[in-house]
Amino acid sequence: MYQDCKKKGICLLSMLTVLAISVESAWAEGAGNAKSVFDECQRIGNKLGSVSVQQCLKAGMKDTGARSVNGQALLLKEYPPLLKRRQPLGRVLLIGGTHGDEYAATSIVFKWMKILDTYHSGLFHWHVAPLINPDGLLQRHSLRLNAHGIDLNRNMPTPNWHEETSAYWKKTGHDPRRYPGIDPLSEPESQWLYDEIRIFKPHAIVSVHAPYGVLDFDGPPVGPDHLGHLHLKLIGIYPGSLGNFAGVQHRIPVITVELPYAGIMPSRQQTSKMWTDLVHWLRYNIPKQETLAAYPLFEPIHKRMLSEQIPLHEGLN
Ligand SMILES: [Zn+2]
């Protein structure tokens, strides 16, 4: 009897200990996430002239749990469906800061989040990640590439990736600013993007760059003629680019906004006009079934890696 009670006591004690540890680790995890958002907002606010630390914190982004090469958090803000009011017309993924030296491409996404904070009506279900290459931007001399020196917009898994990126790399005269890496999805940032698309299943993707001052479009149906002062001009298809991967291969519309300057923000009026035009285009043109047909073809990354035959890669050494 005594032995039983003792055992029960020990059991109870162990259970309480386990419970305490789980609560503590859950708390630590939550606190860690809040801390990573706080720390990154300090760095973003100190780096970008158009985004203050306060504005970044106020945006209410969450830590996705994914990390850059240097361990910085990839942050995302969700504007969910407001079910009681209306069913969203579709899911839209909006990303900025793929290239770390295109400052305006992150700043403008913060401005658009501010508009969404006020006006999100549930028309679309948004996932917004203003800075998918934090290592590129958040350093003394910001760089286009990630911390491994790889162009994330050449690292997406497009068909015949090895052959085509190799040929492209030669064509650019081995331009280090366009280095695609040794394998598709070799980078944690591009892996995160691939998984985000696979899991969120957006009906359209909007990706912001600079400084070509145009609008590019890949995929169905036909892109917007203009967003604010930016006009549609198809600037070509590159092996390993997001437009090629999602738009051309998977038929998910990708709107690439190329702002006119990397270091100067469009005016407040242009920023808001671009947004209004974007929402208008999405409202009347966002495809449905056609896009969703793509997603069964997406495999989890570890499966992709296992099934991929990686040939000897000439020309990228
Ligand atoms: Zn770019």
Side-chain angles (χ1 to χ4, degrees), residues 98-102 105 144 151 153 208-212 256 258:
T98 306
H99 294 138
D101 55 357
E102 299 168 3
R144 173 184 175 91
D151 183 344
N153 204 32
V208 190
H209 287 260
Y212 294 105
T256 305
E258 275 280 354

Side-chain angles (χ1 to χ4, degrees), residues 36-37 39-48 56 61-76 95-103 105-107 110 129-152 187-193:
S36 57
V37 176
D39 290 348
E40 199 153 314
C41 275
Q42 301 290 323
R43 291 192 289 270
I44 290 172
N46 288 327
K47 183 76 195 181
L48 295 174
C56 177
M61 293 181 292
K62 297 273 184 294
D63 183 349
T64 60
R67 291 291 178 268
S68 66
V69 172
N70 285 345
Q72 300 198 78
L74 301 185
L75 306 179
L76 183 130
I95 61 169
T98 306
H99 294 138
D101 55 357
E102 299 168 3
Y103 310 95
T106 289
S107 299
F110 276 97
L131 180 56
I132 70 164
N133 178 13
D135 294 346
L137 175 72
L138 302 174
Q139 56 184 325
R140 191 155 179 204
H141 299 291
S142 302
L143 292 174
R144 173 184 175 91
L145 310 167
N146 80 343
H148 283 150
I150 287 168
D151 183 344
L152 297 175
E187 302 311 296
E189 299 90 352
S190 50
Q191 288 175 10
W192 174 81
L193 181 57

Side-chain angles (χ1 to χ4, degrees), residues 297-310:
L297 304 172
F298 277 62
E299 283 181 328
I301 288 176
H302 68 277
K303 256 193 181 175
R304 279 191 62 87
M305 297 297 192
L306 287 175
S307 66
E308 240 157 39
Q309 291 278 321
I310 300 175

Side-chain angles (χ1 to χ4, degrees), residues 20-179:
I21 290 170
S22 344
V23 168
E24 194 180 320
S25 60
W27 178 84
E29 211 173 275
N33 287 346
K35 189 174 180 323
S36 57
V37 176
F38 182 82
D39 290 348
E40 199 153 314
C41 275
Q42 301 290 323
R43 291 192 289 270
I44 290 172
N46 288 327
K47 183 76 195 181
L48 295 174
S50 309
V51 183
S52 67
V53 174
Q54 277 311 314
Q55 192 184 340
C56 177
L57 290 170
K58 234 178 127 186
M61 293 181 292
K62 297 273 184 294
D63 183 349
T64 60
R67 291 291 178 268
S68 66
V69 172
N70 285 345
Q72 300 198 78
L74 301 185
L75 306 179
L76 183 130
K77 172 77 184 274
E78 177 171 32
Y79 295 86
L82 304 175
L83 287 175
K84 279 184 191 155
R85 289 164 65 180
R86 57 154 67 133
Q87 279 289 335
L89 294 179
R91 290 178 295 275
V92 186
L93 173 64
L94 166 60
I95 61 169
T98 306
H99 294 138
D101 55 357
E102 299 168 3
Y103 310 95
T106 289
S107 299
I108 201 165
V109 178
F110 276 97
K111 301 293 174 207
W112 288 341
M113 282 200 285
K114 213 173 158 194
I115 297 177
L116 271 173
D117 285 335
T118 311
Y119 297 106
H120 177 54
S121 62
L123 184 62
F124 294 103
H125 178 181
W126 295 89
H127 272 196
V128 185
L131 180 56
I132 70 164
N133 178 13
D135 294 346
L137 175 72
L138 302 174
Q139 56 184 325
R140 191 155 179 204
H141 299 291
S142 302
L143 292 174
R144 173 184 175 91
L145 310 167
N146 80 343
H148 283 150
I150 287 168
D151 183 344
L152 297 175
N153 204 32
R154 299 291 180 270
N155 196 243
M156 298 305 284
T158 50
N160 304 316
W161 188 92
H162 292 92
E163 294 75 10
E164 296 204 1
T165 55
S166 186
Y168 165 81
W169 172 246
K170 276 180 193 154
K171 214 171 99 183
T172 65
H174 300 103
D175 178 359
R177 285 171 49 81
R178 267 122 188 122
Y179 181 56

Side-chain angles (χ1 to χ4, degrees), residues 245-267:
F245 163 69
V248 178
Q249 308 306 326
H250 289 291
R251 315 285 293 158
I252 304 157
V254 179
I255 300 171
T256 305
V257 178
E258 275 280 354
L259 300 171
Y261 303 102
I264 305 171
M265 274 286 284
S267 68

Side-chain angles (χ1 to χ4, degrees), residues 256-279:
T256 305
V257 178
E258 275 280 354
L259 300 171
Y261 303 102
I264 305 171
M265 274 286 284
S267 68
R268 191 186 287 191
Q269 189 200 4
Q270 275 301 328
T271 301
S272 106
K273 184 73 171 69
M274 274 188 254
W275 181 256
T276 318
D277 290 347
L278 172 66
V279 171

